[in-house]
Amino acid sequence: MHGNAVPDSYVYVTEEGVARHYSDGSVEALAWEDVAEVRVGGLAPAEGHPDVLIVLLDRDGEGCVVPRSATDAGFLARLRYLPDFDLERLRTALETAGDGYVVVWRSPDPPSPLPDLEYD
């Protein structure tokens, strides 16, 4: 069969956040205000085409994985709104990505303390 294959996922970037919709119907999403860490790492080659992943995580380790191939100027521009985000550090990490992950940004805000629990 010839032609373009159906992509396994789509990435949507809005002012509110980023979401990755998979072909199986599952969704990873994260609001920009909840992003606590940005990581960059490699991915094992799939059909001879390795991709680099940008991983956005919240304080609980949940988040959204964005393949570099799915990024655009809007996504990169939105990352710049994260406090003290360094686009050069991101570019360097993207160019030198290996099998592991490197943290390119971490929120300067300390995590919120857990509420005091009262026991009866």
Side-chain angles (χ1 to χ4, degrees):
M1 179 176 226
H2 296 282
N4 294 333
V6 175
D8 69 342
S9 66
Y10 295 93
V11 176
Y12 295 99
V13 178
T14 66
E15 288 297 316
E16 290 78 34
V18 60
R20 183 174 180 189
H21 297 259
Y22 291 88
S23 59
D24 67 2
S26 61
V27 177
E28 294 175 346
L30 189 60
W32 290 116
E33 66 188 29
D34 294 333
V35 175
E37 188 172 283
V38 178
R39 298 178 183 178
V40 172
L43 180 68
E47 297 181 26
H49 299 289
D51 204 350
V52 176
L53 302 175
I54 301 169
V55 181
L56 309 174
L57 297 170
D58 66 13
R59 295 197 186 286
D60 296 324
E62 299 294 321
C64 187
V65 178
V66 179
R68 180 182 186 177
S69 59
T71 63
D72 61 11
F75 176 77
L76 296 175
R78 188 57 191 88
L79 285 175
R80 288 186 10 224
Y81 285 103
L82 297 172
D84 300 321
F85 191 86
D86 185 349
L87 276 178
E88 274 308 306
R89 185 171 182 176
L90 175 66
R91 285 187 184 107
T92 300
L94 289 170
E95 291 170 5
T96 60
D99 288 335
Y101 286 88
V102 61
V103 174
V104 296
W105 180 84
R106 194 169 277 142
S107 174
D109 297 328
S112 301
L114 294 174
D116 291 333
L117 300 176
E118 295 182 24
Y119 297 96
D120 292 331

